[in-house]
Amino acid sequence: MADQSPSEYFEHIRAEIAPLLPDRAPRRILEIGSGAGGTLAWLKQRWPEAEAVACEGQAALRPVLEQRVDRAVIHNLEQPLPDDLGRFDLILALDVLEHLTDPQAVLTNLVALLEPGGAVIVSVPNVAHYKVVRDLLLRRRFDYTDAGIMDRTHLRFFTEHSALALMRGAGLNVVDGRVNGFGRRRTRLMDWLTLGCARHYLAEQYIMRGERGGAGRFRWRFR
């Protein structure tokens, strides 16, 4: 999860979730914190018949969203979701829950909208990344930045353990997961030198697919 400018952040297409997508085409897709709708537009190319619904807090994004999705809902994500959203086969909460005061309640409310057999894909940053740990141990610093793991708008912080607990607390079993941050040569070298023992300190972000009633056993995919 590289640092991005505000415009890049809202436009970013989350193509790295592709391995976690369902094999069967969903009938309805909901994304909360959708930004400018780039990911939903990408999914509409994959599944043209699916109805894509964006739920976004930034009112200024409505015009571009209305060009890219079937329904754009401008809504304060801290508040209960609108009653008329309906139910969904696929729900996305990508890089949004860490910005909320009660991510557990929001995710639980999303799961209530899930159709039987549906899936929720969630991504959260990993505060146990070695750069954060390094600055705490060696510099006694916990400095916020404009984007990335230490984004100054983050209200909640996650590690592997608490990310999985978030999913379980909402009634989801994690059936598949992907770890971002291994696309750089330096990171892969560090992973090799540490024989894989430092992987979760090299992880920038956890992406999880949760289902109700899933097996609950999986192995992380490291990029």
Side-chain angles (χ1 to χ4, degrees):
M1 183 176 57
D3 290 353
Q4 299 168 311
S5 70
S7 61
E8 289 173 330
Y9 183 86
F10 287 117
E11 289 286 350
H12 186 49
I13 297 173
R14 297 297 303 276
E16 67 269 32
I17 70 172
L20 305 184
L21 293 173
D23 294 329
R24 186 174 62 181
R27 188 175 61 88
R28 303 188 75 226
I29 307 169
L30 169 68
E31 183 177 12
I32 67 162
S34 61
T39 298
L40 283 176
W42 168 67
L43 290 175
K44 284 285 287 183
Q45 292 178 351
R46 184 186 184 105
W47 296 309
E49 301 302 318
E51 180 186 1
V53 179
C55 190
E56 168 57 41
Q58 301 290 329
L61 295 173
R62 181 191 291 274
V64 67
L65 278 173
E66 290 179 341
Q67 296 177 19
R68 293 177 171 176
V69 303
D70 297 295
R71 181 183 176 190
V73 179
I74 302 302
H75 180 74
N76 181 352
L77 299 179
E78 300 282 8
Q79 301 299 319
L81 295 167
D83 293 332
D84 63 346
L85 283 180
R87 299 175 71 83
F88 299 87
D89 310 287
L90 177 62
I91 298 175
L92 308 178
L94 307 175
D95 290 355
V96 62
L97 296 177
E98 63 270 22
H99 296 271
L100 305 178
T101 56
D102 193 349
Q104 188 70 81
V106 173
L107 184 56
T108 299
N109 290 338
L110 288 174
V111 172
L113 303 180
L114 198 61
E115 290 278 16
V120 181
I121 299 179
V122 171
S123 68
V124 292
N126 174 35
V127 77
H129 189 267
Y130 79 93
K131 290 184 179 179
V132 180
V133 176
R134 176 199 63 194
D135 288 348
L136 277 170
L137 289 177
L138 301 181
R139 303 174 61 201
R140 305 188 308 279
R141 300 286 294 266
F142 195 74
D143 296 329
Y144 291 94
T145 56
D146 291 332
I149 296 172
M150 294 302 298
D151 187 319
R152 65 183 75 257
T153 64
H154 289 178
L155 301 180
R156 292 290 182 266
F157 295 91
F158 296 93
T159 62
E160 177 199 18
H161 177 80
S162 56
L164 293 173
L166 175 73
M167 301 290 277
R168 290 194 296 267
L172 295 168
N173 286 323
V174 177
V175 298
D176 203 351
R178 190 175 182 91
V179 179
N180 269 354
F182 287 78
R184 302 183 186 91
R185 181 181 300 178
R186 179 181 177 183
T187 304
R188 294 194 299 270
L189 177 61
M190 292 172 67
D191 183 44
W192 179 77
L193 290 173
T194 59
L195 303 178
C197 295
R199 280 188 166 178
H200 288 281
Y201 293 100
L202 300 172
E204 295 179 356
Q205 182 184 65
Y206 294 108
I207 310 175
M208 303 162 288
R209 171 176 165 167
E211 299 175 359
R212 286 187 295 196
R217 296 178 63 85
F218 74 102
R219 296 184 66 179
W220 290 109
R221 303 169 187 243
F222 290 87
R223 288 187 67 195

